[in-house]
Every structure is written in C-alpha cells, then in structure tokens.
Amino acid sequence: MRTVNVPLGPRSYSIRIGPGLCSRVGQECARLGLGRRCAVISDSNVAPRYAGVVEGSLRAAGFEPCVMTIPAGEPSKRLRHVEACYDRLAAHRLERKSFVAALGGGVVGDLAGFVAATYLRGVALVQVPTTLLAQVDSSVGGKVGVNLAAGKNLVGAFYQPGVVLCDLDTLGTLPDREYRAGLAEVIKYGIIYDAALFRRLERDLDRLLDRDPDTLAQVIARCCQIKAEVVGQDETEGGLRAILNFGHTIGHGLEAISRYGKYLHGEAIAMGQVAAARLSARLTGLPVREVERIRALFERAGLPTAVRLDRRQRERLLGAMRLDKKVSAGELKFVLAERVGRVRWGQAVPQLELERVLAGGSPAEGD
Ligand code: NAD
Ligand code: GLY
C-alpha cells in the first residue's frame, strides 16, 4: 500500500492507495478516534457492489453505520439530495463526533462532503473514492459542493477529509467510458506540473488503458502527490491552486449548456484542456508541437478533443463561462500553459481570442 500525505497543519491527512481498502474502512476510521454512529453515502451503481463490504468492515470495528444511496450520475449533485441525506442523518441520530463516509465517484464525494461540512455545522468526513477521477482528484483537497441550474459547483465549501482510501480493486468494475474520463484529470497533472509524468503517460498509456495494477498504483500516487503539494501550499485557491482548473472554465461551461447530460466531466475537461492549449499557443507561447502532443494524448485516451458548436451554442457557452467561479471583477481568468509541465494562472483572455479558438481556429492561425 502507498501513502501520500496532504500537509495542512492541523487538517493534515493521509491518502492510502492499494487493493482491498474497502474491507479496511472500519480499521482506518478507528484510528481517527471518531464517534460510533456514522453514515455511508453512496450511489445506485456503487452501493450494490461495495457498500456491503464497507458496512461490514465498519460494524466489525464497532461502528454503527446507516447506508444511504443517491441515484447515480451528475444530475444527482443537487440540493434536493443534500436535504434527503440530512433527513436520514437526523433519523439515524448522528452526533457531532459522528462521521460520513463518501463511497463512490466525484458526484458522491462532492455531495457527501457537502453534507458532512454542513450537518451539525460539520461532522468528520472519510473519502472512499471508487472512480479513477475521484481517486486522483476530487476526493483530495477538500472542495465539496453541488450544482445549481445556473452552473457547476456554485454551492459548496472547503472541507478536508480525515482520510482518503483509494481501493484500486474498485476500478476493476468501472465502465470503460468512465475510466477514460478519469484519464483526463491524470493527463492534466502532466500538463500543469510534471513534464516527466506527461512523457510517462505518452509511453505507458496502453498499460494504463489495460488497467495494469502496478502502473495504475504508481500513476495514481504521483497524481495524489502533485495535488497534495499544490493544496498544501494554497488550500483555498488564493493563487497556485487555480492551476488545477486547467481546461475547467470551458469544460464546466460545456457541461452546463448540455445540462450535465451529454458529456462526462472528464470528457468536457478534455475538450476544455485542448482549447486551453490552443489559447496558450496564441497567448503564452506554448509551442504548436506541444499543443499537438496534448491533443494526441487525449485522443489516444479515447477522449473528445474538439469543441464543435454552432454560433448560438457558442454564445450560450460564453454566457455559462461568465457564471464560472473563476470570474473576477467581471473578467474571466484562465490557466494557460507555457510548455508541458508549466502553466500560469490568472490569465486574462481577450474575447476575440476565445471566440476564435471556440470556433475551431488552429493554434497557428493568424500568427
Ligand atoms: P461519478 O461520481 O458520476 O461516477 C461515474 C459513474 O461511475 C457513476 O455512474 C457511478 O455510479 C459509477 N461508478 C463509480 N464507481 C464505480 C465502480 N467502482 N464501479 C462501477 N461503477 C462505478 O463521476 P466522477 O467522474 O467520479 O466524478 C465527477 C464529479 O466530480 C463531477 O461532479 C465533478 O464536478 C467532480 N469533481 C470534483 C472535484 C473536486 O475537487 N471536488 C474535482 C474533479 C471533479
Ligand atoms: N479539481 C480542482 C481543485 O481541487 O482545486
């Protein structure tokens, strides 16, 4: 088993990565000195597979869990389900020392995390991520929340878990499309922080697509280490943490205009990252050959790379992007790359450049 530490002073915690961790949730929670009563929040795909093992492990360690399930998928990440969870927590008489375990992908992690952050003004949170995306990204760093019709993640909090348990065995049942969507966040870490990781992904992508356990364990641990380093320096996104949003402004806009139904989050941010790379070629000197390396890696991972919108859809996308949390003083700020492995945050992008890239302008066009 690998362990990565997230250094946040009194809110520091460990990310454990390895096989069989669902059956050790009870033991791991016992080390945190938590109250007996607890809740496992999961979704309709994950609960039938893994909630029994997690519940059994908690009971064996002396806890009294109740299990609640939300319908699988992004449309569930909304306040209505948060309220339903509060009602169940109240019925199970959770107390201040109780805790919530989030068992599932990023949707469950974000929603259950928000429930934990707000119920009784905060009960402890344990993240048990079961998608690749959640293991490398959403379960780490403390961003929790839900969507509004107006936009992604518009209601939320920073609320760190007590521990993150990445059970690699759970990835074995993840549908192929979801697995590939997780690779979009993995590739992001190479672009924003680690050129050697990006080269490794170019070299080992086939092994990753085959879900080779050793390659997966190493790559997940490296991604978690990068996220821990970034979050450890800037927990609440005063500056550096913004680099984790590379490709997300456009990606979140695409998700919002398609009402969270057409693209998976990872697919939307794959398109967003390629568009951000094209913008980078125009504005921060990313060489055109690097744009092509980035596009080619997403394509090999089976992810969409081109934003194809008509004029009306483009206008809606620009409108949705203006509602993004990255807007400051009315101006949209982007993360742009200088080269693979190095990015700049807080970059203003002229409207014309954005429209040109969204309309499919090539990186070299007009240069
Ligand atoms: P998800 O939670 O919807 O899971 C994807 C699908 O896979 C779901 O249908 C789920 O039921 C199913 N599933 C999960 N684990 C499975 C398993 N082991 N076997 C079989 N099926 C399984 O989606 P996701 O991609 O994990 O997360 C996306 C969400 O994460 C988005 O809402 C996004 O905004 C959020 N996110 C949050 C952060 C953050 O920092 N908090 C970062 C990135 C993404
Ligand atoms: N996924 C973006 C962040 O955690 O900051």
Side-chain angles (χ1 to χ4, degrees), residues 137 140-141 143 185 188 227 231 237 241 244-245 248:
D137 191 0
V140 176
K143 280 190 183 175
E185 299 282 9
K188 179 189 80 178
K227 183 138 189 192
V231 170
E237 204 167 304
R241 185 170 178 162
L244 299 169
N245 299 328
H248 281 52

Side-chain angles (χ1 to χ4, degrees), residues 22-27 29-30 36 38-40 51-66 99 101:
C22 277
S23 57
R24 293 188 39 173
V25 171
Q27 268 169 274
C29 291
R36 282 188 18 219
C38 57
V40 177
V53 183
V54 170
E55 187 183 4
S57 154
L58 285 164
R59 284 197 193 284
F63 294 104
E64 291 172 27
C66 70
F99 65 97

Side-chain angles (χ1 to χ4, degrees), residues 190-228:
I191 299 171
I192 64 169
Y193 203 85
D194 186 348
L197 173 65
F198 191 89
R199 282 193 297 278
R200 177 178 190 169
L201 295 174
E202 290 180 314
R203 192 189 67 213
D204 288 345
L205 188 71
D206 292 341
R207 275 195 211 141
L208 269 182
L209 288 170
D210 288 342
R211 307 188 196 191
D212 172 66
D214 288 341
T215 312
L216 254 178
Q218 287 167 25
V219 167
I220 290 172
R222 180 61 191 140
C223 293
C224 287
Q225 218 169 37
I226 294 172
K227 183 138 189 192

Side-chain angles (χ1 to χ4, degrees), residues 43-46 49-50 71-74 77 104-110 127 129-135 137-145 147 152-153 169-175 178 181-182 185 188 227 241 248 252 255 264-266 269:
D43 77 20
S44 52
N45 289 331
V46 177
R49 292 179 165 95
Y50 303 110
E74 187 73 31
K77 215 175 104 175
V107 166
V108 165
D110 283 10
Q127 289 276 8
T130 62
T131 63
L132 179 58
L133 184 142
Q135 295 191 354
D137 191 0
S138 60
S139 64
V140 176
K143 280 190 183 175
V144 296
N147 305 325
K152 281 274 292 183
N153 302 332
D169 292 339
T170 61
L171 299 182
T173 55
L174 195 59
E178 299 291 349
E185 299 282 9
K188 179 189 80 178
K227 183 138 189 192
R241 185 170 178 162
H248 281 52
H252 283 168
E255 284 183 270
L264 300 179
H265 175 72
I269 62 143

Side-chain angles (χ1 to χ4, degrees), residues 184 247 250-251 254 263-277 298 303-308:
I250 294 172
L254 285 168
Y263 302 113
L264 300 179
H265 175 72
E267 292 169 345
I269 62 143
M271 290 184 278
Q273 288 182 75
V274 175
F298 283 114
L303 289 158
T305 56
V307 180
R308 294 193 201 288

